[in-house]
């Protein structure tokens, strides 16, 4: 169980497993906002929450609709309350991820500098990998210093597809996988 999962137990008010073009997504929310969205079987996938299964929850439904709009090319920016649980360093990294504009990428080193820890590239990578709300907190926009598509908890194939959807991935980059 990750720290995120541990901190969410008892705080989640609803959860739902909903379909997406990239496979089922587990959504979790608290009274304050969306606290998690994980691909089925992704790395750091949480254990079961003690929250009721509510696929019709209004906030989860709104978030899922926004994500569907993103997949359909009708949305580039998300507008939903988030309730991210993690260490102060993780939260700083996730806040930096939220500042990466759609259609852009940056490196782990760029994020390390942005959070005031220029030597902390490896720690940044770990925080990025534990992002509890992938896509919405756009960790897929972080690439290796040499332009390669490095790790993604949801799988490199999904990272590649998300970047292609945003118009970032060019055919010559696809051979970097």
């Amino acid at each position: 169980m990750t720290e995120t999962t541990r901190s969410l137990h008892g705080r989640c008010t609803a959860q739902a497993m909903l379909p997406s073009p990239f496979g089922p997504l587990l959504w979790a929310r608290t009274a304050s906002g969306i606290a998690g969205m994980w691909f089925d079987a992704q790395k750091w996938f949480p254990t079961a929450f003690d929250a009721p299964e509510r696929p019709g929850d209004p906030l989860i439904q709104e978030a899922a609709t926004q994500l569907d709009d993103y997949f359909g090319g009708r949305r580039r920016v998300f507008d939903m309350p988030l309730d991210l649980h993690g260490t102060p360093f993780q939260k700083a990294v996730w806040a930096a991820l939220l500042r990466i504009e759609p259609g852009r990428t940056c490196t782990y080193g760029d994020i390390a500098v942005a959070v005031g820890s220029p030597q902390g590239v490896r720690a940044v990578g770990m925080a990025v990998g534990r992002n509890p709300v992938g896509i919405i907190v756009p960790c897929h926009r972080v690439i290796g210093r040499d332009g390669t598509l490095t790790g993604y908890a949801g799988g490199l194939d999904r990272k590649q597809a998300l970047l292609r959807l945003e118009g970032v991935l060019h055919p010559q980059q696809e051979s970097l996988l």
Side-chain angles (χ1 to χ4, degrees):
M1 181 182 306
T2 68
E3 183 60 35
T4 298
T5 305
R6 213 177 349 269
S7 71
L8 286 176
H9 279 280
R11 291 187 177 151
C12 284
T13 58
Q15 65 176 321
M17 186 69 81
L18 300 175
S20 85
F22 291 151
L25 295 170
L26 173 62
W27 293 86
R29 71 157 296 175
T30 66
S32 300
I34 297 295
M37 184 203 70
W38 300 270
F39 293 109
D40 186 36
Q42 90 172 41
K43 190 173 186 179
W44 312 117
F45 189 81
T47 57
F49 291 110
D50 54 355
E53 180 73 30
R54 290 193 178 130
D57 177 85
L59 179 57
I60 290 175
Q61 281 298 306
E62 173 59 27
T65 297
Q66 288 187 31
L67 191 64
D68 285 344
D69 288 347
Y70 167 82
F71 287 135
R74 298 177 300 279
R75 174 180 289 275
R76 292 177 52 87
V77 177
F78 297 99
D79 179 26
M80 67 188 74
L82 298 175
D83 187 15
L84 305 178
H85 293 254
T87 68
F89 182 78
Q90 287 172 328
K91 288 179 181 182
V93 169
W94 301 335
L97 296 176
L98 285 167
R99 293 191 294 272
I100 307 170
E101 295 177 18
R104 300 257 194 211
T105 60
C106 70
T107 68
Y108 294 91
D110 295 333
I111 298 293
V113 168
V115 299
S117 184
Q119 302 303 314
V121 175
R122 200 173 288 238
V124 164
M126 290 176 63
V128 168
R130 285 176 174 79
N131 170 15
V133 189
I135 305 173
I136 295 164
V137 176
C139 53
H140 62 280
R141 296 179 187 151
V142 183
I143 60 174
R145 157 181 66 191
D146 61 358
T148 58
L149 300 184
T150 57
Y152 185 63
L156 283 178
D157 56 331
R158 287 181 177 131
K159 182 173 187 165
Q160 181 181 24
L162 291 166
L163 290 173
R164 187 181 304 114
L165 179 70
E166 293 186 7
V168 174
L169 197 62
H170 303 288
Q172 66 270 21
Q173 289 176 294
E174 294 189 34
S175 64
L176 297 174
L177 288 176

